[in-house]
Amino acid sequence: MAFDIDRYTQAATPVTWEDLDYEVFRDHPLPPDTLRTLRYMCEIEFHTVCYLRDMLVSPSRKDPEVGTFMTTWNWEEIWHGEALAHVLGLHGITVTYDVLKAKRMKLGWRDRLSPVKQSLLSNIVGIDFVAVHMLWGSINERSTAAAYKRLAALEDSPVLGELLRRIASQEAQHIAFYTTQARARLQDNTRAQKLARLALRTAWQPVGSGVSPESEVDHVLRHLFSGPEGRKEILAIDRHVAKLPGMAGLNLVAEALDSRGVPA
């Protein structure tokens, strides 16, 4: 495979963010819509530990490269959350672990049953579940990187833009791993291709769905991806996915936006 897991893990570091001049926000604070979107992003980055939890009960845990990547990935994502939480804190918005715990508690049985459901379904499917997992991760990481890119373009703040570009740079490595793995596992594997399409068609939703309130999901999608430029980013994600084995004609992300009434 083209992705060098050893090089990735050895070079992994927390995203650099302390060197930026955050004092600029005292005189030029970010607008409410941007802060609302940033909070959503921050909370989802911190929530990645739950995705790691669910992976540990699935066949993916048995693959050494996947397990190594997911551990490092989770660590990097937590630092993304810390960086975004710092920006929010300068605007009087506090995102703490107690706040995150309270939100997860509100999910109730859905959160508690998630690893049970994941374990049952994934282990019934067997090794081909890993292909589904990798493809799912590729779509989510592409969506996340596109969101950071769009927010940097929409908000005229050099400091925020630089921070988001640094985070997106790490997300690009995550995309590379997931996509390389997905391509290899889907290639010449009709069963895995059919399972992946079925899983995506029946269960995939934009990143953060099921964790954040639907009103917040809709806000972020409209804020970042409304209009021609936003839709261009979404169509690019679908094009990349369609190039993978057995995924031709899948317009998953664009259809999700259409179903939520996000204008193109």
Side-chain angles (χ1 to χ4, degrees), residues 69-236:
F69 169 79
M70 292 291 289
T71 303
T72 309
W73 164 82
N74 182 68
W75 180 69
E76 288 185 329
E77 300 285 27
I78 287 173
W79 282 107
H80 296 171
E82 293 285 357
L84 297 176
H86 181 71
V87 174
L88 291 167
L90 294 173
H91 291 80
I93 301 171
T94 303
V95 179
T96 66
Y97 286 103
D98 286 341
V99 171
L100 295 168
K101 180 181 178 181
K103 287 206 168 188
R104 287 173 189 163
M105 290 293 288
K106 287 182 179 179
L107 296 176
W109 62 268
R110 287 183 298 158
D111 186 57
R112 292 191 290 274
L113 285 180
S114 179
V116 177
K117 182 174 68 173
Q118 181 93 324
S119 178
L120 288 172
L121 294 176
S122 64
N123 284 285
I124 288 172
V125 169
I127 191 63
D128 286 333
F129 169 80
V130 186
V132 181
H133 176 197
M134 294 295 100
L135 178 57
W136 195 293
S138 177
I139 297 171
N140 281 358
E141 291 295 324
R142 286 189 185 279
S143 301
T144 300
Y148 284 129
K149 179 180 176 182
R150 283 294 297 150
L151 188 56
L154 289 169
E155 185 56 50
D156 184 22
S157 170
V159 172
L160 180 64
E162 177 58 24
L163 174 60
L164 297 179
R165 280 188 286 273
R166 292 179 185 184
I167 294 175
S169 178
Q170 289 193 335
E171 300 289 2
Q173 296 183 73
H174 304 165
I175 293 170
F177 177 82
Y178 279 119
T179 305
T180 300
Q181 288 276 338
R183 182 180 294 108
R185 294 172 187 278
L186 291 169
Q187 190 69 49
D188 300 323
N189 189 337
T190 303
R191 181 174 184 269
Q193 293 172 16
K194 290 180 177 179
L195 283 170
R197 290 186 74 101
L198 177 63
L200 291 170
R201 281 291 189 193
T202 57
W204 186 86
Q205 290 291 328
V207 180
S209 301
V211 177
S212 297
E214 285 298 291
S215 59
E216 296 307 297
V217 180
D218 288 341
H219 163 75
V220 171
L221 294 178
R222 287 178 175 273
H223 182 201
L224 299 180
F225 298 116
S226 291
E229 290 304 311
R231 187 54 64 110
K232 185 192 321 187
E233 292 291 334
I234 294 304
L235 293 177

